[in-house]
Amino acid sequence: MSKTIIEHLQGNDLKAISRLMSAVENGSQTDDVLNDELYSHSLDSVRIGITGPPGAGKSTLIDKLVKLIRKDEKTVGVISVDPTSPFSGGALLGDRIRMNQHSMDSGVYVRSMGNRGMTGGLAKKSHLMGDILSCTGKEVIIFETIGVGQSETEIIENADITVVVLVPEVGDEVQFMKAGPIEVGDLFVVNKSDKDGAKRVADLLSEYLKDSVEARQFIPEIVLTTASSGEGVAELYTKSFNLIAHLEKAGILEKRRERQYLNRVRGAVRDELVQLFWNGQPELVLDSEISTHRANGRSPYSAARHLIDSLK
């Protein structure tokens, strides 16, 4: 069965791709054999993360990057993570609509998915979605984060490099310098650079990055773009792939991927144990016991420890 699925994916069967992605996103269990096959066929793709505040023009920038990637005769997959609707559970924005001009191109696959309450900018299964697209032969995988601000650092666990997109209206300079994405960025973009203040933001950011060089392996470059017109996007494309080549040559890329693998294993163990714990106990019984702990004045931490010890 797993072999058949992999064959459909490698044949770029759109229905098979969509069906498997939906199953993964909805929490359907994929077996270990399929996961191993997906992983073994997902090691050759380059993965680029695009993050930044809402309204920075990330989707427009990605749209232009996809065109350049295809012009370079590379295949590309895009995973856009949007806020989850509290009513339907689906993604609210739907970046596939913005990029539907690529829908007839077999070398492009765009998927929007809800974050399902995750606060790190990506959805829980984003990395597995990347594996699926990589298995289809997509040479470049682009992750677009939700744009949630300081907590948006999970992108580094899914991408080879992280591109941070800012705009002239970035706001309080001190606050944006402290933001999480600034700390994880490998390459910075000041988009909407045709507006006043773009150069000032770039200069300010440049000084900040130079001052924080001790905590980094290199000083990230800054690119000014106007995604709506395409200005500067070719430079961003070139610098992104030059950076990946540099990281690979320096051995940094392999270390990043090793760390990502380690963190994915840790995350999978944590999720598995949580699922086993809650699924292994009748919910009403647990709720009743938890209420008893509260009535007896136990702290939440003490109550949790008691529940775990009772399983032993």
Side-chain angles (χ1 to χ4, degrees), residues 206-227:
S206 178
E207 290 301 316
Y208 176 83
L209 294 174
K210 289 176 182 176
D211 290 341
S212 63
V213 65
E214 292 184 2
R216 300 173 180 270
Q217 295 167 312
F218 57 90
I219 299 178
E221 293 188 87
I222 302 169
V223 182
L224 272 67
T225 67
T226 303

Side-chain angles (χ1 to χ4, degrees), residues 56-295:
K58 298 188 294 293
S59 295
T60 305
L61 197 64
I62 291 171
D63 181 56
K64 293 295 195 298
L65 282 172
V66 168
K67 290 180 180 178
L68 290 174
I69 291 169
R70 292 299 292 139
K71 188 177 180 181
D72 208 15
E73 298 184 349
K74 293 186 178 76
T75 53
V76 56
V78 179
I79 299 171
S80 293
V81 180
D82 292 324
T84 297
S85 166
F87 304 106
S88 68
L92 286 175
L93 298 181
D95 288 279
R96 280 173 292 178
I97 297 174
R98 304 174 192 169
M99 301 182 199
N100 62 2
Q101 62 178 301
H102 304 294
S103 61
M104 301 303 293
D105 185 348
S106 62
V108 179
Y109 191 96
V110 180
R111 175 83 179 201
S112 291
M113 59 187 298
N115 69 323
R116 303 291 175 101
M118 293 293 287
T119 59
L122 292 178
K124 188 175 181 180
K125 298 293 186 179
S126 297
H127 51 263
L128 188 50
M129 294 293 208
D131 289 351
I132 293 171
L133 288 183
S134 185
C135 187
T136 69
K138 300 299 182 290
E139 297 164 90
V140 182
I141 311 294
I142 298 177
F143 296 92
E144 179 190 2
T145 72
I146 192 174
V148 294
Q150 294 193 16
S151 65
E152 193 163 335
T153 55
E154 189 181 333
I155 188 67
I156 62 174
E157 301 305 334
N158 288 266
D160 294 325
I161 64 167
T162 301
V163 178
V164 179
V165 184
L166 302 172
V167 286
E169 308 93 333
V170 76
D172 189 327
E173 292 86 358
V174 175
Q175 289 303 314
F176 101 74
M177 290 303 179
K178 291 181 179 178
I182 301 295
E183 303 301 324
V184 303
D186 298 305
L187 187 60
F188 288 83
V189 173
V190 179
N191 193 30
K192 305 181 182 180
S193 62
D194 54 335
K195 295 187 177 183
D196 293 338
K199 187 177 184 303
R200 178 172 174 272
V201 170
D203 291 342
L204 199 65
L205 181 58
S206 178
E207 290 301 316
Y208 176 83
L209 294 174
K210 289 176 182 176
D211 290 341
S212 63
V213 65
E214 292 184 2
R216 300 173 180 270
Q217 295 167 312
F218 57 90
I219 299 178
E221 293 188 87
I222 302 169
V223 182
L224 272 67
T225 67
T226 303
S228 57
S229 67
E231 183 179 351
V233 180
E235 182 183 3
L236 172 62
Y237 174 71
T238 300
K239 287 186 180 297
S240 297
F241 282 89
N242 284 347
L243 176 58
I244 291 171
H246 166 72
L247 295 178
E248 185 173 20
K249 185 176 181 180
I252 298 173
L253 188 59
E254 177 58 29
K255 290 180 180 178
R256 288 188 176 189
R257 290 175 174 176
E258 184 177 356
R259 182 194 67 220
Q260 290 171 359
Y261 183 88
L262 175 63
N263 287 333
R264 283 180 66 175
V265 171
R266 286 174 173 170
V269 169
R270 181 174 58 249
D271 292 344
E272 185 76 14
L273 290 176
V274 168
Q275 186 175 15
L276 284 172
F277 177 80
W278 291 110
N279 287 354
Q281 304 292 315
E283 188 173 349
L284 291 178
V285 173
L286 278 177
D287 286 350
S288 176
E289 186 173 348
I290 291 171
S291 296
T292 301
H293 289 313
R294 180 175 182 269

